[in-house]
Amino acid sequence: MADWNTDEFMSQWDKKYVSTNVKTGAQQYNKEFFLGLNSRLCSLRPELQCYSYALIVGLVINIEKAAACCAVGRADVVGPFFDHVTSTSTPQESELIFLRVREAITIIFPYLGLPTCIPACYGMIGVTQRKGHEFASTKVLRKNTVDEDDVRKGKQLRARIYQGVGNSEIFDLMNVYFTDLFTCSTVVTWGYLVAKANEEVFQTKESHLIIATAIMALGATRQTKSHIKATLGIGNSVECVKAVLQAVTEIAAWADRPIATFDVDGFAKEIQAALKA
């Protein structure tokens, strides 16, 4: 692991590509804080071990680990975090971690936007430029066109995710008044991006928890409630969701973007009742 402040290559790469959007006075990347969160998630919930770092990425981009970091507008953190997480990894181990983090960014970008996510991509590319291409994955998972199979998979996956959540009325209205946007979300987000990630990299409950984490970190309160219920409905445990929500809360506070509190136990009862109805 290079010190990005003193390593000439990483310092210049960071200034040119990664930290250009970070506001003056923003918190600096803190190795102990992020690695500590990662370790705590893994120790509290062993089922998160194989992809906890992907959650953090979404958070920081928004602010779930990788997913969380992106969602809180701190995608610049993803590069150093990836560098630290893989500091003792073999090329094969690093390649797998790279693939999982890459796919986490890929499936959350429709919710966060490309300008928010791109610094995370550039940061990871910088690490592989320094260490060697063998420490990254260049595996291509998707074809270069969207087809009827993606339409079918998108409709099926969206129906499965939102079963029992209670959004059917507003979804129907979205399909009437914002037809193309709604279709794009169904076909591209769920069919082309998420469904293929589920086939190749994640379980369905894992990919959805990454998405839910990013939405939590965004501070989108209504959507967070829906996605907490959805992620519980497809198999994530109450304890797992609580552990992730605590990590999101801490990262959001670190980024000075606090989020609301949520009654996970209450949502669990609601989704259980809805699925039984």
Side-chain angles (χ1 to χ4, degrees), residues 34 53-79 101-102 104-106 108-109 111-122 124 213-214 217-218 251 254-255 257:
F34 284 102
Y53 43 80
L55 290 172
I56 290 176
V57 167
L59 281 168
V60 194
I61 294 180
N62 189 6
I63 215 185
E64 194 209 305
K65 298 216 181 172
C69 295
C70 293
V72 287
R74 292 302 306 273
D76 60 292
V77 168
V78 174
V101 174
R102 188 193 76 188
I105 295 169
T106 299
I108 64 174
F109 105 80
Y111 299 92
L112 308 181
L114 272 177
T116 302
C117 296
I118 284 296
C121 306
Y122 290 171
M124 292 173 65
T213 298
L218 274 175
I251 294 177
W254 169 85
R257 293 177 60 171

mmCIF file of all heavy atoms in Angstrom, residues 34 53-79 101-102 104-106 108-109 111-122 124 213-214 217-218 251 254-255 257:
data_model
loop_
_atom_site.group_PDB
_atom_site.id
_atom_site.type_symbol
_atom_site.label_atom_id
_atom_site.label_comp_id
_atom_site.label_asym_id
_atom_site.label_seq_id
_atom_site.Cartn_x
_atom_site.Cartn_y
_atom_site.Cartn_z
ATOM 1 N N PHE A 34 -12.001 3.440 8.108
ATOM 2 C CA PHE A 34 -12.658 2.613 7.103
ATOM 3 C C PHE A 34 -12.320 1.132 7.241
ATOM 4 O O PHE A 34 -13.196 0.270 7.110
ATOM 5 C CB PHE A 34 -12.322 3.120 5.700
ATOM 6 C CG PHE A 34 -13.078 4.360 5.344
ATOM 7 C CD1 PHE A 34 -12.475 5.597 5.398
ATOM 8 C CD2 PHE A 34 -14.413 4.294 4.985
ATOM 9 C CE1 PHE A 34 -13.179 6.750 5.099
ATOM 10 C CE2 PHE A 34 -15.132 5.438 4.678
ATOM 11 C CZ PHE A 34 -14.508 6.671 4.734
ATOM 12 N N TYR A 53 -16.555 -4.864 1.716
ATOM 13 C CA TYR A 53 -15.853 -3.729 1.124
ATOM 14 C C TYR A 53 -16.655 -3.118 -0.020
ATOM 15 O O TYR A 53 -16.575 -1.920 -0.289
ATOM 16 C CB TYR A 53 -14.465 -4.155 0.627
ATOM 17 C CG TYR A 53 -14.443 -5.475 -0.099
ATOM 18 C CD1 TYR A 53 -14.831 -5.570 -1.435
ATOM 19 C CD2 TYR A 53 -14.058 -6.637 0.552
ATOM 20 C CE1 TYR A 53 -14.840 -6.778 -2.088
ATOM 21 C CE2 TYR A 53 -14.060 -7.861 -0.105
ATOM 22 C CZ TYR A 53 -14.451 -7.929 -1.436
ATOM 23 O OH TYR A 53 -14.464 -9.134 -2.087
ATOM 24 N N ALA A 54 -17.449 -3.939 -0.711
ATOM 25 C CA ALA A 54 -18.296 -3.418 -1.786
ATOM 26 C C ALA A 54 -19.409 -2.557 -1.223
ATOM 27 O O ALA A 54 -19.814 -1.555 -1.830
ATOM 28 C CB ALA A 54 -18.885 -4.563 -2.611
ATOM 29 N N LEU A 55 -19.908 -2.920 -0.064
ATOM 30 C CA LEU A 55 -20.913 -2.115 0.611
ATOM 31 C C LEU A 55 -20.338 -0.752 0.974
ATOM 32 O O LEU A 55 -20.966 0.284 0.773
ATOM 33 C CB LEU A 55 -21.395 -2.826 1.875
ATOM 34 C CG LEU A 55 -22.242 -4.073 1.677
ATOM 35 C CD1 LEU A 55 -22.474 -4.785 3.005
ATOM 36 C CD2 LEU A 55 -23.564 -3.750 1.045
ATOM 37 N N ILE A 56 -19.140 -0.756 1.523
ATOM 38 C CA ILE A 56 -18.509 0.493 1.936
ATOM 39 C C ILE A 56 -18.275 1.393 0.730
ATOM 40 O O ILE A 56 -18.446 2.611 0.809
ATOM 41 C CB ILE A 56 -17.196 0.220 2.688
ATOM 42 C CG1 ILE A 56 -17.512 -0.410 4.047
ATOM 43 C CG2 ILE A 56 -16.393 1.505 2.878
ATOM 44 C CD1 ILE A 56 -16.300 -0.804 4.841
ATOM 45 N N VAL A 57 -17.909 0.817 -0.390
ATOM 46 C CA VAL A 57 -17.681 1.618 -1.596
ATOM 47 C C VAL A 57 -18.939 2.380 -1.974
ATOM 48 O O VAL A 57 -18.898 3.567 -2.267
ATOM 49 C CB VAL A 57 -17.218 0.738 -2.774
ATOM 50 C CG1 VAL A 57 -17.299 1.501 -4.087
ATOM 51 C CG2 VAL A 57 -15.801 0.247 -2.540
ATOM 52 N N GLY A 58 -20.094 1.680 -1.968
ATOM 53 C CA GLY A 58 -21.343 2.360 -2.303
ATOM 54 C C GLY A 58 -21.652 3.464 -1.326
ATOM 55 O O GLY A 58 -22.151 4.518 -1.694
ATOM 56 N N LEU A 59 -21.355 3.249 -0.077
ATOM 57 C CA LEU A 59 -21.605 4.256 0.949
ATOM 58 C C LEU A 59 -20.784 5.496 0.709
ATOM 59 O O LEU A 59 -21.258 6.616 0.835
ATOM 60 C CB LEU A 59 -21.227 3.701 2.332
ATOM 61 C CG LEU A 59 -22.234 2.777 2.991
ATOM 62 C CD1 LEU A 59 -21.621 2.095 4.186
ATOM 63 C CD2 LEU A 59 -23.446 3.545 3.395
ATOM 64 N N VAL A 60 -19.514 5.307 0.431
ATOM 65 C CA VAL A 60 -18.642 6.462 0.328
ATOM 66 C C VAL A 60 -18.864 7.195 -0.976
ATOM 67 O O VAL A 60 -18.759 8.403 -1.033
ATOM 68 C CB VAL A 60 -17.167 6.065 0.421
ATOM 69 C CG1 VAL A 60 -16.322 7.281 0.665
ATOM 70 C CG2 VAL A 60 -16.948 5.097 1.543
ATOM 71 N N ILE A 61 -19.142 6.436 -2.058
ATOM 72 C CA ILE A 61 -19.442 7.129 -3.305
ATOM 73 C C ILE A 61 -20.720 7.898 -3.060
ATOM 74 O O ILE A 61 -20.769 9.067 -3.389
ATOM 75 C CB ILE A 61 -19.623 6.182 -4.502
ATOM 76 C CG1 ILE A 61 -18.323 5.492 -4.814
ATOM 77 C CG2 ILE A 61 -20.061 6.959 -5.731
ATOM 78 C CD1 ILE A 61 -18.382 4.540 -5.983
ATOM 79 N N ASN A 62 -21.709 7.070 -2.387
ATOM 80 C CA ASN A 62 -22.877 7.866 -2.025
ATOM 81 C C ASN A 62 -22.579 8.554 -0.727
ATOM 82 O O ASN A 62 -22.460 9.727 -0.747
ATOM 83 C CB ASN A 62 -24.083 6.968 -1.849
ATOM 84 C CG ASN A 62 -25.321 7.715 -1.702
ATOM 85 O OD1 ASN A 62 -25.356 8.902 -1.825
ATOM 86 N ND2 ASN A 62 -26.375 7.047 -1.426
ATOM 87 N N ILE A 63 -22.325 7.128 0.416
ATOM 88 C CA ILE A 63 -21.445 6.925 1.589
ATOM 89 C C ILE A 63 -21.811 5.616 2.102
ATOM 90 O O ILE A 63 -21.534 5.159 2.942
ATOM 91 C CB ILE A 63 -21.574 8.032 2.596
ATOM 92 C CG1 ILE A 63 -20.275 8.253 3.204
ATOM 93 C CG2 ILE A 63 -22.639 8.003 3.434
ATOM 94 C CD1 ILE A 63 -20.308 9.241 4.313
ATOM 95 N N GLU A 64 -22.117 2.829 1.189
ATOM 96 C CA GLU A 64 -21.901 1.629 1.951
ATOM 97 C C GLU A 64 -20.580 1.164 1.500
ATOM 98 O O GLU A 64 -20.531 0.655 0.443
ATOM 99 C CB GLU A 64 -22.845 0.608 1.574
ATOM 100 C CG GLU A 64 -22.770 -0.438 2.628
ATOM 101 C CD GLU A 64 -23.075 -1.705 2.198
ATOM 102 O OE1 GLU A 64 -23.956 -2.103 1.697
ATOM 103 O OE2 GLU A 64 -22.294 -2.311 2.477
ATOM 104 N N LYS A 65 -19.744 1.300 2.494
ATOM 105 C CA LYS A 65 -18.346 1.205 2.248
ATOM 106 C C LYS A 65 -18.142 1.686 0.833
ATOM 107 O O LYS A 65 -18.179 2.886 0.679
ATOM 108 C CB LYS A 65 -17.936 -0.177 2.471
ATOM 109 C CG LYS A 65 -18.198 -0.576 3.940
ATOM 110 C CD LYS A 65 -17.178 -1.441 4.402
ATOM 111 C CE LYS A 65 -17.327 -1.909 5.754
ATOM 112 N NZ LYS A 65 -16.408 -2.898 6.116
ATOM 113 N N ALA A 66 -17.752 0.704 -0.231
ATOM 114 C CA ALA A 66 -17.597 1.290 -1.542
ATOM 115 C C ALA A 66 -18.882 1.939 -1.962
ATOM 116 O O ALA A 66 -18.863 3.040 -2.497
ATOM 117 C CB ALA A 66 -17.198 0.258 -2.560
ATOM 118 N N ALA A 67 -20.042 1.224 -1.791
ATOM 119 C CA ALA A 67 -21.308 1.805 -2.217
ATOM 120 C C ALA A 67 -21.630 3.022 -1.385
ATOM 121 O O ALA A 67 -22.101 4.030 -1.898
ATOM 122 C CB ALA A 67 -22.424 0.794 -2.101
ATOM 123 N N ALA A 68 -21.386 2.927 -0.083
ATOM 124 C CA ALA A 68 -21.715 4.028 0.795
ATOM 125 C C ALA A 68 -20.847 5.229 0.529
ATOM 126 O O ALA A 68 -21.302 6.366 0.581
ATOM 127 C CB ALA A 68 -21.553 3.596 2.238
ATOM 128 N N CYS A 69 -19.597 5.029 0.258
ATOM 129 C CA CYS A 69 -18.670 6.144 0.027
ATOM 130 C C CYS A 69 -19.090 6.932 -1.195
ATOM 131 O O CYS A 69 -19.014 8.158 -1.219
ATOM 132 C CB CYS A 69 -17.238 5.628 -0.141
ATOM 133 S SG CYS A 69 -16.575 4.870 1.341
ATOM 134 N N CYS A 70 -19.529 6.234 -2.223
ATOM 135 C CA CYS A 70 -19.981 6.917 -3.430
ATOM 136 C C CYS A 70 -21.235 7.733 -3.141
ATOM 137 O O CYS A 70 -21.391 8.846 -3.629
ATOM 138 C CB CYS A 70 -20.254 5.906 -4.539
ATOM 139 S SG CYS A 70 -18.773 5.074 -5.155
ATOM 140 N N ALA A 71 -22.140 7.166 -2.350
ATOM 141 C CA ALA A 71 -23.420 7.817 -2.113
ATOM 142 C C ALA A 71 -23.294 9.090 -1.304
ATOM 143 O O ALA A 71 -24.108 10.000 -1.451
ATOM 144 C CB ALA A 71 -24.376 6.858 -1.411
ATOM 145 N N VAL A 72 -22.279 9.185 -0.449
ATOM 146 C CA VAL A 72 -22.112 10.425 0.308
ATOM 147 C C VAL A 72 -21.235 11.412 -0.432
ATOM 148 O O VAL A 72 -20.782 12.402 0.122
ATOM 149 C CB VAL A 72 -21.548 10.187 1.716
ATOM 150 C CG1 VAL A 72 -22.583 9.565 2.608
ATOM 151 C CG2 VAL A 72 -20.308 9.346 1.686
ATOM 152 N N GLY A 73 -21.013 11.162 -1.704
ATOM 153 C CA GLY A 73 -20.243 12.086 -2.507
ATOM 154 C C GLY A 73 -18.747 12.028 -2.263
ATOM 155 O O GLY A 73 -18.033 12.978 -2.578
ATOM 156 N N ARG A 74 -18.248 10.911 -1.735
ATOM 157 C CA ARG A 74 -16.822 10.790 -1.451
ATOM 158 C C ARG A 74 -16.209 9.596 -2.173
ATOM 159 O O ARG A 74 -15.540 8.746 -1.581
ATOM 160 C CB ARG A 74 -16.598 10.709 0.061
ATOM 161 C CG ARG A 74 -16.914 12.000 0.798
ATOM 162 C CD ARG A 74 -16.108 13.196 0.293
ATOM 163 N NE ARG A 74 -14.674 12.931 0.310
ATOM 164 C CZ ARG A 74 -13.900 13.153 1.390
ATOM 165 N NH1 ARG A 74 -14.439 13.642 2.482
ATOM 166 N NH2 ARG A 74 -12.610 12.882 1.333
ATOM 167 N N ALA A 75 -16.440 9.543 -3.479
ATOM 168 C CA ALA A 75 -15.875 8.466 -4.284
ATOM 169 C C ALA A 75 -14.357 8.498 -4.296
ATOM 170 O O ALA A 75 -13.709 7.497 -4.617
ATOM 171 C CB ALA A 75 -16.408 8.554 -5.714
ATOM 172 N N ASP A 76 -13.774 9.650 -3.927
ATOM 173 C CA ASP A 76 -12.307 9.744 -3.863
ATOM 174 C C ASP A 76 -11.710 8.784 -2.844
ATOM 175 O O ASP A 76 -10.535 8.422 -2.928
ATOM 176 C CB ASP A 76 -11.889 11.172 -3.504
ATOM 177 C CG ASP A 76 -12.434 11.616 -2.145
ATOM 178 O OD1 ASP A 76 -13.664 11.770 -2.032
ATOM 179 O OD2 ASP A 76 -11.630 11.773 -1.209
ATOM 180 N N VAL A 77 -12.526 8.351 -1.883
ATOM 181 C CA VAL A 77 -12.057 7.460 -0.822
ATOM 182 C C VAL A 77 -11.881 6.029 -1.333
ATOM 183 O O VAL A 77 -11.094 5.251 -0.783
ATOM 184 C CB VAL A 77 -13.055 7.495 0.365
ATOM 185 C CG1 VAL A 77 -12.786 6.379 1.358
ATOM 186 C CG2 VAL A 77 -12.997 8.851 1.052
ATOM 187 N N VAL A 78 -12.588 5.674 -2.409
ATOM 188 C CA VAL A 78 -12.626 4.284 -2.864
ATOM 189 C C VAL A 78 -11.240 3.794 -3.293
ATOM 190 O O VAL A 78 -10.847 2.661 -2.992
ATOM 191 C CB VAL A 78 -13.653 4.103 -3.986
ATOM 192 C CG1 VAL A 78 -13.600 2.688 -4.556
ATOM 193 C CG2 VAL A 78 -15.055 4.416 -3.462
ATOM 194 N N GLY A 79 -10.489 4.617 -4.002
ATOM 195 C CA GLY A 79 -9.157 4.214 -4.450
ATOM 196 C C GLY A 79 -8.230 3.849 -3.299
ATOM 197 O O GLY A 79 -7.689 2.726 -3.255
ATOM 198 N N VAL A 101 -15.916 -4.935 -6.336
ATOM 199 C CA VAL A 101 -16.082 -3.493 -6.139
ATOM 200 C C VAL A 101 -16.536 -2.838 -7.443
ATOM 201 O O VAL A 101 -17.405 -1.965 -7.446
ATOM 202 C CB VAL A 101 -14.780 -2.852 -5.620
ATOM 203 C CG1 VAL A 101 -14.926 -1.333 -5.563
ATOM 204 C CG2 VAL A 101 -14.434 -3.388 -4.240
ATOM 205 N N ARG A 102 -15.954 -3.255 -8.561
ATOM 206 C CA ARG A 102 -16.363 -2.711 -9.860
ATOM 207 C C ARG A 102 -17.842 -2.934 -10.108
ATOM 208 O O ARG A 102 -18.565 -2.025 -10.552
ATOM 209 C CB ARG A 102 -15.554 -3.387 -10.981
ATOM 210 C CG ARG A 102 -15.773 -2.764 -12.359
ATOM 211 C CD ARG A 102 -15.202 -3.649 -13.445
ATOM 212 N NE ARG A 102 -16.059 -4.817 -13.701
ATOM 213 C CZ ARG A 102 -15.709 -5.828 -14.503
ATOM 214 N NH1 ARG A 102 -14.523 -5.836 -15.093
ATOM 215 N NH2 ARG A 102 -16.550 -6.837 -14.702
ATOM 216 N N ALA A 104 -20.152 -3.463 -7.821
ATOM 217 C CA ALA A 104 -20.929 -2.656 -6.879
ATOM 218 C C ALA A 104 -21.133 -1.250 -7.443
ATOM 219 O O ALA A 104 -22.248 -0.706 -7.410
ATOM 220 C CB ALA A 104 -20.215 -2.582 -5.528
ATOM 221 N N ILE A 105 -20.076 -0.665 -7.981
ATOM 222 C CA ILE A 105 -20.187 0.667 -8.588
ATOM 223 C C ILE A 105 -21.117 0.621 -9.795
ATOM 224 O O ILE A 105 -21.954 1.517 -9.994
ATOM 225 C CB ILE A 105 -18.791 1.180 -8.990
ATOM 226 C CG1 ILE A 105 -17.921 1.395 -7.744
ATOM 227 C CG2 ILE A 105 -18.903 2.487 -9.787
ATOM 228 C CD1 ILE A 105 -16.461 1.655 -8.048
ATOM 229 N N THR A 106 -21.008 -0.436 -10.590
ATOM 230 C CA THR A 106 -21.823 -0.566 -11.804
ATOM 231 C C THR A 106 -23.307 -0.613 -11.489
ATOM 232 O O THR A 106 -24.119 0.021 -12.187
ATOM 233 C CB THR A 106 -21.414 -1.832 -12.583
ATOM 234 O OG1 THR A 106 -20.036 -1.724 -12.970
ATOM 235 C CG2 THR A 106 -22.275 -2.027 -13.816
ATOM 236 N N ILE A 108 -24.858 0.529 -8.775
ATOM 237 C CA ILE A 108 -25.416 1.685 -8.048
ATOM 238 C C ILE A 108 -25.350 2.973 -8.846
ATOM 239 O O ILE A 108 -25.993 3.957 -8.474
ATOM 240 C CB ILE A 108 -24.734 1.901 -6.679
ATOM 241 C CG1 ILE A 108 -23.264 2.254 -6.843
ATOM 242 C CG2 ILE A 108 -24.947 0.693 -5.767
ATOM 243 C CD1 ILE A 108 -22.566 2.630 -5.536
ATOM 244 N N PHE A 109 -24.620 2.972 -9.973
ATOM 245 C CA PHE A 109 -24.482 4.239 -10.685
ATOM 246 C C PHE A 109 -25.812 4.804 -11.188
ATOM 247 O O PHE A 109 -25.980 6.034 -11.237
ATOM 248 C CB PHE A 109 -23.442 4.120 -11.820
ATOM 249 C CG PHE A 109 -24.011 4.046 -13.204
ATOM 250 C CD1 PHE A 109 -24.430 5.200 -13.874
ATOM 251 C CD2 PHE A 109 -24.147 2.830 -13.860
ATOM 252 C CE1 PHE A 109 -24.967 5.136 -15.153
ATOM 253 C CE2 PHE A 109 -24.674 2.761 -15.131
ATOM 254 C CZ PHE A 109 -25.091 3.916 -15.779
ATOM 255 N N TYR A 111 -28.440 5.067 -9.598
ATOM 256 C CA TYR A 111 -29.021 5.774 -8.456
ATOM 257 C C TYR A 111 -28.210 7.011 -8.070
ATOM 258 O O TYR A 111 -28.750 7.951 -7.503
ATOM 259 C CB TYR A 111 -29.118 4.832 -7.245
ATOM 260 C CG TYR A 111 -29.990 3.640 -7.522
ATOM 261 C CD1 TYR A 111 -29.445 2.448 -8.012
ATOM 262 C CD2 TYR A 111 -31.372 3.699 -7.330
ATOM 263 C CE1 TYR A 111 -30.243 1.359 -8.305
ATOM 264 C CE2 TYR A 111 -32.177 2.605 -7.616
ATOM 265 C CZ TYR A 111 -31.614 1.445 -8.114
ATOM 266 O OH TYR A 111 -32.413 0.364 -8.408
ATOM 267 N N LEU A 112 -26.921 7.011 -8.382
ATOM 268 C CA LEU A 112 -26.034 8.075 -7.925
ATOM 269 C C LEU A 112 -25.572 9.000 -9.033
ATOM 270 O O LEU A 112 -25.230 10.156 -8.771
ATOM 271 C CB LEU A 112 -24.800 7.470 -7.238
ATOM 272 C CG LEU A 112 -25.060 6.441 -6.138
ATOM 273 C CD1 LEU A 112 -23.736 5.970 -5.549
ATOM 274 C CD2 LEU A 112 -25.956 7.011 -5.058
ATOM 275 N N GLY A 113 -25.505 8.504 -10.266
ATOM 276 C CA GLY A 113 -25.025 9.294 -11.386
ATOM 277 C C GLY A 113 -23.548 9.060 -11.674
ATOM 278 O O GLY A 113 -22.754 8.832 -10.755
ATOM 279 N N LEU A 114 -23.172 9.134 -12.939
ATOM 280 C CA LEU A 114 -21.787 8.885 -13.330
ATOM 281 C C LEU A 114 -20.792 9.879 -12.726
ATOM 282 O O LEU A 114 -19.722 9.474 -12.264
ATOM 283 C CB LEU A 114 -21.670 8.891 -14.862
ATOM 284 C CG LEU A 114 -21.924 7.564 -15.564
ATOM 285 C CD1 LEU A 114 -21.836 7.749 -17.075
ATOM 286 C CD2 LEU A 114 -20.920 6.502 -15.111
ATOM 287 N N PRO A 115 -21.067 11.195 -12.728
ATOM 288 C CA PRO A 115 -20.071 12.109 -12.161
ATOM 289 C C PRO A 115 -19.730 11.799 -10.702
ATOM 290 O O PRO A 115 -18.608 12.031 -10.257
ATOM 291 C CB PRO A 115 -20.744 13.483 -12.290
ATOM 292 C CG PRO A 115 -21.682 13.332 -13.434
ATOM 293 C CD PRO A 115 -22.209 11.930 -13.321
ATOM 294 N N THR A 116 -20.707 11.246 -9.976
ATOM 295 C CA THR A 116 -20.463 10.876 -8.583
ATOM 296 C C THR A 116 -19.566 9.660 -8.479
ATOM 297 O O THR A 116 -18.717 9.567 -7.577
ATOM 298 C CB THR A 116 -21.804 10.591 -7.880
ATOM 299 O OG1 THR A 116 -22.629 11.753 -7.969
ATOM 300 C CG2 THR A 116 -21.604 10.238 -6.413
ATOM 301 N N CYS A 117 -19.739 8.709 -9.399
ATOM 302 C CA CYS A 117 -19.034 7.424 -9.312
ATOM 303 C C CYS A 117 -17.665 7.406 -9.977
ATOM 304 O O CYS A 117 -16.800 6.618 -9.578
ATOM 305 C CB CYS A 117 -19.894 6.323 -9.935
ATOM 306 S SG CYS A 117 -21.451 6.000 -9.088
ATOM 307 N N ILE A 118 -17.468 8.236 -10.977
ATOM 308 C CA ILE A 118 -16.245 8.172 -11.776
ATOM 309 C C ILE A 118 -14.960 8.314 -10.956
ATOM 310 O O ILE A 118 -13.983 7.595 -11.210
ATOM 311 C CB ILE A 118 -16.294 9.223 -12.905
ATOM 312 C CG1 ILE A 118 -17.241 8.735 -14.017
ATOM 313 C CG2 ILE A 118 -14.924 9.507 -13.478
ATOM 314 C CD1 ILE A 118 -16.775 7.464 -14.714
ATOM 315 N N PRO A 119 -14.881 9.198 -9.943
ATOM 316 C CA PRO A 119 -13.633 9.271 -9.165
ATOM 317 C C PRO A 119 -13.259 7.945 -8.501
ATOM 318 O O PRO A 119 -12.074 7.660 -8.309
ATOM 319 C CB PRO A 119 -13.928 10.354 -8.122
ATOM 320 C CG PRO A 119 -14.945 11.231 -8.787
ATOM 321 C CD PRO A 119 -15.812 10.286 -9.551
ATOM 322 N N ALA A 120 -14.261 7.131 -8.162
ATOM 323 C CA ALA A 120 -13.972 5.810 -7.595
ATOM 324 C C ALA A 120 -13.294 4.928 -8.630
ATOM 325 O O ALA A 120 -12.316 4.225 -8.342
ATOM 326 C CB ALA A 120 -15.260 5.152 -7.105
ATOM 327 N N CYS A 121 -13.818 4.971 -9.865
ATOM 328 C CA CYS A 121 -13.221 4.183 -10.952
ATOM 329 C C CYS A 121 -11.781 4.634 -11.203
ATOM 330 O O CYS A 121 -10.865 3.798 -11.310
ATOM 331 C CB CYS A 121 -14.039 4.346 -12.227
ATOM 332 S SG CYS A 121 -15.801 3.980 -12.065
ATOM 333 N N TYR A 122 -11.576 5.943 -11.277
ATOM 334 C CA TYR A 122 -10.244 6.466 -11.550
ATOM 335 C C TYR A 122 -9.262 6.106 -10.436
ATOM 336 O O TYR A 122 -8.090 5.818 -10.697
ATOM 337 C CB TYR A 122 -10.297 7.983 -11.717
ATOM 338 C CG TYR A 122 -10.980 8.467 -12.970
ATOM 339 C CD1 TYR A 122 -11.273 9.819 -13.158
ATOM 340 C CD2 TYR A 122 -11.341 7.583 -13.985
ATOM 341 C CE1 TYR A 122 -11.890 10.271 -14.304
ATOM 342 C CE2 TYR A 122 -11.969 8.034 -15.136
ATOM 343 C CZ TYR A 122 -12.251 9.388 -15.290
ATOM 344 O OH TYR A 122 -12.868 9.839 -16.428
ATOM 345 N N MET A 124 -9.331 3.432 -8.468
ATOM 346 C CA MET A 124 -8.979 2.015 -8.585
ATOM 347 C C MET A 124 -8.054 1.766 -9.775
ATOM 348 O O MET A 124 -7.132 0.951 -9.710
ATOM 349 C CB MET A 124 -10.249 1.170 -8.695
ATOM 350 C CG MET A 124 -11.080 1.166 -7.421
ATOM 351 S SD MET A 124 -12.674 0.327 -7.618
ATOM 352 C CE MET A 124 -12.140 -1.354 -7.947
ATOM 353 N N THR A 213 -27.885 0.053 0.491
ATOM 354 C CA THR A 213 -26.904 0.799 1.261
ATOM 355 C C THR A 213 -26.632 2.158 0.636
ATOM 356 O O THR A 213 -26.553 3.178 1.328
ATOM 357 C CB THR A 213 -25.590 0.001 1.345
ATOM 358 O OG1 THR A 213 -25.847 -1.221 2.012
ATOM 359 C CG2 THR A 213 -24.530 0.766 2.100
ATOM 360 N N ALA A 214 -26.484 2.167 -0.681
ATOM 361 C CA ALA A 214 -26.243 3.432 -1.376
ATOM 362 C C ALA A 214 -27.427 4.385 -1.203
ATOM 363 O O ALA A 214 -27.252 5.591 -0.999
ATOM 364 C CB ALA A 214 -25.974 3.179 -2.853
ATOM 365 N N ALA A 217 -27.395 5.879 2.233
ATOM 366 C CA ALA A 217 -26.373 6.907 2.379
ATOM 367 C C ALA A 217 -26.739 8.193 1.650
ATOM 368 O O ALA A 217 -26.278 9.269 2.023
ATOM 369 C CB ALA A 217 -25.037 6.379 1.860
ATOM 370 N N LEU A 218 -27.574 8.080 0.623
ATOM 371 C CA LEU A 218 -28.034 9.272 -0.090
ATOM 372 C C LEU A 218 -28.897 10.161 0.795
ATOM 373 O O LEU A 218 -29.030 11.353 0.539
ATOM 374 C CB LEU A 218 -28.858 8.864 -1.321
ATOM 375 C CG LEU A 218 -28.118 8.578 -2.620
ATOM 376 C CD1 LEU A 218 -29.095 8.070 -3.667
ATOM 377 C CD2 LEU A 218 -27.415 9.816 -3.121
ATOM 378 N N ILE A 251 -20.522 6.456 8.512
ATOM 379 C CA ILE A 251 -19.865 7.061 7.344
ATOM 380 C C ILE A 251 -20.537 8.386 6.990
ATOM 381 O O ILE A 251 -19.870 9.369 6.635
ATOM 382 C CB ILE A 251 -19.890 6.105 6.139
ATOM 383 C CG1 ILE A 251 -19.027 4.867 6.434
ATOM 384 C CG2 ILE A 251 -19.371 6.799 4.883
ATOM 385 C CD1 ILE A 251 -19.041 3.829 5.326
ATOM 386 N N TRP A 254 -19.300 10.930 9.326
ATOM 387 C CA TRP A 254 -17.925 11.272 8.951
ATOM 388 C C TRP A 254 -17.906 12.277 7.805
ATOM 389 O O TRP A 254 -17.109 13.215 7.775
ATOM 390 C CB TRP A 254 -17.172 10.000 8.554
ATOM 391 C CG TRP A 254 -15.841 10.233 7.915
ATOM 392 C CD1 TRP A 254 -14.645 10.434 8.529
ATOM 393 C CD2 TRP A 254 -15.565 10.271 6.500
ATOM 394 N NE1 TRP A 254 -13.644 10.609 7.612
ATOM 395 C CE2 TRP A 254 -14.184 10.511 6.359
ATOM 396 C CE3 TRP A 254 -16.358 10.119 5.361
ATOM 397 C CZ2 TRP A 254 -13.571 10.611 5.109
ATOM 398 C CZ3 TRP A 254 -15.755 10.219 4.121
ATOM 399 C CH2 TRP A 254 -14.380 10.454 4.002
ATOM 400 N N ALA A 255 -18.816 12.084 6.844
ATOM 401 C CA ALA A 255 -18.883 12.967 5.676
ATOM 402 C C ALA A 255 -19.714 14.213 5.928
ATOM 403 O O ALA A 255 -19.927 15.007 5.014
ATOM 404 C CB ALA A 255 -19.456 12.202 4.489
ATOM 405 N N ARG A 257 -22.884 14.369 6.495
ATOM 406 C CA ARG A 257 -24.160 14.244 5.813
ATOM 407 C C ARG A 257 -25.039 13.261 6.583
ATOM 408 O O ARG A 257 -25.332 12.165 6.121
ATOM 409 C CB ARG A 257 -23.962 13.765 4.372
ATOM 410 C CG ARG A 257 -23.262 14.796 3.505
ATOM 411 C CD ARG A 257 -22.995 14.283 2.099
ATOM 412 N NE ARG A 257 -24.224 13.911 1.396
ATOM 413 C CZ ARG A 257 -24.256 13.596 0.098
ATOM 414 N NH1 ARG A 257 -23.158 13.595 -0.616
ATOM 415 N NH2 ARG A 257 -25.398 13.268 -0.479
#
